[in-house]
Amino acid sequence: MNHFPNAAILEGKVLSDAVLDARDMCSMNFAREEFDKLERILWPLLDPLLCNEENTIAGDVARHLEQIRTFSANFCWKHRHLGASYGAVGKRADIDRRASA
């Protein structure tokens, strides 16, 4: 007997939580750093173009950059220290040097 007559029938397989090991997280840390570099290259080019409403390409690129960061959970930022045994985590010399200069 169906106690929920309006409930949809779900078919499929329930997946367990995804697991990242330290090596995978190290790759995520590297991907985040590379994305940050790409973003620093693109924003100075995009910023003046975003004022022009007719320039949809600049808006599309800016939107995709934001969506990558959002939907990747900033490349699993909250788990970034898991990859420390395989790569550097935390301060990046190229950014920290410029910030203190």
Side-chain angles (χ1 to χ4, degrees), residues 37-100:
K37 290 174 187 174
L38 177 63
E39 195 173 46
R40 283 194 306 272
I41 291 168
L42 290 176
W43 269 116
L45 304 172
L46 292 174
D47 204 24
L49 299 174
L50 289 171
C51 295
N52 182 353
E53 291 178 9
E54 295 174 10
N55 192 331
T56 58
I57 293 174
D60 288 345
V61 172
R63 186 181 77 253
H64 287 297
L65 288 173
E66 181 179 344
Q67 287 179 342
I68 290 168
R69 181 135 356 243
T70 300
F71 290 105
S72 70
N74 194 12
F75 303 95
C76 297
W77 174 258
K78 65 183 178 178
H79 303 297
R80 68 194 176 280
H81 294 290
L82 177 63
S85 61
Y86 286 92
V89 177
K91 293 185 178 182
R92 293 181 304 242
D94 61 325
I95 292 176
D96 295 332
R97 211 176 307 128
R98 275 187 258 153
S100 62

